Amino acid sequence: MNTDAIIENTKQFVKNQLSSNCTGHDYQHALRVWAIARHIATIENANSFVIELAALLDDITDWKFNDGKLDASIQSVKTWLQQQAVDDTIIKQVIDILQNLSFKGAKVATPMPSLEGQIVQDADRLDAMGAVGIARTFAYGSQRGQPIHNPEIKPVQHESFAAYKAHRGTTINHFYEKLLLLKDRMNTTTAKQLANKKHQVMVDFLKQFDEECQAFMA
Ligand code: ADP
């Protein structure tokens, strides 16, 4: 099977798996990450097939939707790629990327050794920013049962992945705990440039949000 056919089949596989996801980790998110990653890969001269597969499959292996466990979902991705007769070396590269992709807390480093992985991580993080990022955050915050905003609850800069995973705060705080930090954690020059505008959209949104919350309170 040629690589284009495998990518098309993988899109369908992901579409089926994420069809009922209402948390912003849906098929349209996977498609956007795939498109952003392809764009960065072209500019950065990277192996596009590994990047496209990992970008599409990222949310199938998300710890948040697998009881915090990666093993079963990693195995399902592996089985899928084997069914598509994808080379073992490529499967290993894709799995390595998926296992290292996630944000793990403000004070936790998330090193990504390969250029391919760095590009997928950048693309996934770019889709967490800007207007799309704002919309996704409120969708997921609601699904977690978090309040939108409570000035009595302060943002936390997490020192470990365990603390980050267990944390229940507010959705506005998530901007300070993760989203506003992403601009400075991009790997590639291309992503750093793309991140600036999306960062500013979030800063402007938070300023306006704050102003509306403060108005008439005194
Ligand atoms: P990663 O791919 O690094 O694991 P996540 O899947 O945790 O990233 O986050 C993707 C998006 O889900 C975030 O950018 C945000 O929009 C939303 N999200 C994650 N955690 C929270 C949270 N605690 N509160 C609100 N939104 C969240």
Side-chain angles (χ1 to χ4, degrees), residues 25 62 64 102-103 124 128 137 140 144 146 174 178-179:
H25 298 75
D62 197 312
K64 291 185 293 307
S102 274
F103 185 84
D124 188 44
T137 303
Y140 187 54
R144 279 168 70 100
Q146 295 176 174
H174 190 64
K178 173 185 174 187
L179 306 182

Side-chain angles (χ1 to χ4, degrees), residues 31-198:
L31 267 189
R32 286 191 302 268
V33 175
W34 170 75
I36 300 169
R38 268 194 354 155
H39 170 79
I40 302 175
T42 309
I43 299 172
E44 304 275 341
N45 281 322
N47 173 347
S48 189
F49 186 48
V50 170
I51 291 170
E52 290 186 47
L53 287 175
L56 284 170
L57 290 163
D58 165 33
D59 284 300
I60 306 287
T61 57
D62 197 312
W63 57 266
K64 291 185 293 307
F65 308 116
N66 297 293
D67 298 328
K69 298 186 192 97
L70 267 177
D71 292 358
S73 56
I74 287 285
Q75 188 52 52
S76 81
V77 165
K78 212 171 177 174
T79 306
W80 164 257
L81 293 173
Q82 283 165 344
Q83 282 165 1
Q84 302 301 301
V86 174
D87 195 85
D88 279 350
T89 324
I90 291 184
I91 296 180
K92 185 177 179 316
Q93 283 176 271
V94 171
I95 300 291
D96 282 350
I97 292 173
L98 299 181
Q99 285 176 320
N100 288 299
L101 203 67
S102 274
F103 185 84
K104 295 186 167 70
K107 298 197 173 161
V108 185
T110 47
M112 184 60 94
S114 68
L115 174 61
E116 285 73 23
Q118 291 176 4
I119 290 174
V120 179
Q121 193 174 58
D122 282 353
D124 188 44
R125 290 178 176 180
L126 282 166
D127 203 58
M129 301 174 71
V132 166
I134 294 169
R136 293 182 62 218
T137 303
F138 287 101
Y140 187 54
S142 156
Q143 200 253 357
R144 279 168 70 100
Q146 295 176 174
I148 290 177
H149 177 52
N150 180 348
E152 289 170 15
I153 304 174
K154 301 298 172 204
V156 180
Q157 303 291 288
H158 297 102
E159 310 241 3
S160 73
F161 189 30
Y164 176 72
K165 276 200 285 193
H167 183 67
R168 287 289 175 277
T170 71
T171 298
I172 286 293
N173 281 354
H174 190 64
F175 286 85
Y176 300 94
E177 290 164 351
K178 173 185 174 187
L179 306 182
L180 293 175
L181 311 178
L182 295 178
K183 173 174 78 69
D184 295 326
R185 292 175 71 149
M186 293 292 153
N187 302 298
T188 63
T189 312
T190 310
K192 283 179 188 155
Q193 287 161 358
L194 293 169
N196 284 331
K197 186 174 169 198
K198 284 170 163 269

Side-chain angles (χ1 to χ4, degrees), residues 13-26:
F13 172 69
V14 173
K15 191 174 187 178
N16 294 341
Q17 297 271 324
L18 299 181
S19 61
S20 59
N21 189 301
C22 302
T23 70
H25 298 75
D26 53 11

Side-chain angles (χ1 to χ4, degrees), residues 1-16:
M1 208 182 309
N2 69 35
T3 54
D4 286 350
I6 296 173
I7 295 296
E8 285 314 306
N9 289 350
T10 302
K11 281 186 192 169
Q12 200 52 54
F13 172 69
V14 173
K15 191 174 187 178
N16 294 341

Side-chain angles (χ1 to χ4, degrees), residues 194-209:
L194 293 169
N196 284 331
K197 186 174 169 198
K198 284 170 163 269
H199 181 82
Q200 194 55 46
V201 170
M202 298 190 295
V203 170
D204 293 345
F205 166 77
L206 289 168
K207 184 167 173 283
Q208 179 68 23
F209 188 94

